[in-house]
Amino acid sequence: MWLSTVPKVLTGDVEVSLNEREQTLVASAQFEDVRDTILGRCSMCHGAEVYWEGIATAPKGVLLEEDHQIASRAREIYLQAGRSHAMPPGNITYMEPTERALIVAWYEGAIAK
């Protein structure tokens, strides 16, 4: 029986199950654009390998590189980058107002369903 897990262990393929809310967020028509924004503006610090000088690991262990990671942190992304503008700090990656509005529309649209 234990042999059935070998391919997952060797390849690193791990199944991630999303809850209903996370599935709705990922299935949203806006998700692809939101994901592109987050990968472009957030993942250099919130990634498995941090590419921002002076930061050794992702702040608070928050990773935002994969769909399930983005979906599971959607509320935090919405509050920190969409509503409060706390992220990125000092807008260091130049997140545009339209990108923030996209995050807000995505989250509020998916949660309202």
Side-chain angles (χ1 to χ4, degrees):
M1 179 159 181
W2 66 270
L3 291 175
S4 65
T5 62
V6 170
K8 289 181 184 180
V9 171
L10 294 178
T11 65
D13 293 340
V14 177
E15 291 182 32
V16 176
S17 60
L18 302 176
N19 65 35
E20 187 176 330
R21 190 186 102 199
E22 293 168 348
Q23 289 174 9
T24 301
L25 289 159
V26 172
S28 166
Q30 297 163 313
F31 183 74
E32 188 174 321
D33 292 332
V34 168
R35 180 183 54 216
D36 290 347
T37 296
I38 291 168
L39 291 175
R41 305 293 187 196
C42 310
S43 67
M44 65 274 305
C45 293
H46 291 284
E49 292 185 36
V50 177
Y51 296 102
W52 202 265
E53 189 176 327
I55 299 176
T57 60
K60 297 185 179 182
V62 174
L63 299 176
L64 301 173
E65 296 177 304
E66 298 180 24
D67 293 358
H68 71 92
Q69 294 168 332
I70 294 167
S72 71
R73 299 289 186 158
R75 184 173 186 273
E76 294 162 90
I77 295 166
Y78 165 73
L79 293 173
Q80 298 294 321
R83 286 292 181 194
S84 75
H85 300 205
M87 288 287 155
N91 202 22
I92 198 158
T93 59
Y94 307 106
M95 185 177 283
E96 299 289 332
T98 55
E99 293 170 319
R100 293 183 190 281
L102 174 65
I103 290 169
V104 169
W106 163 69
Y107 183 80
E108 290 179 355
I111 296 306
K113 291 182 179 181

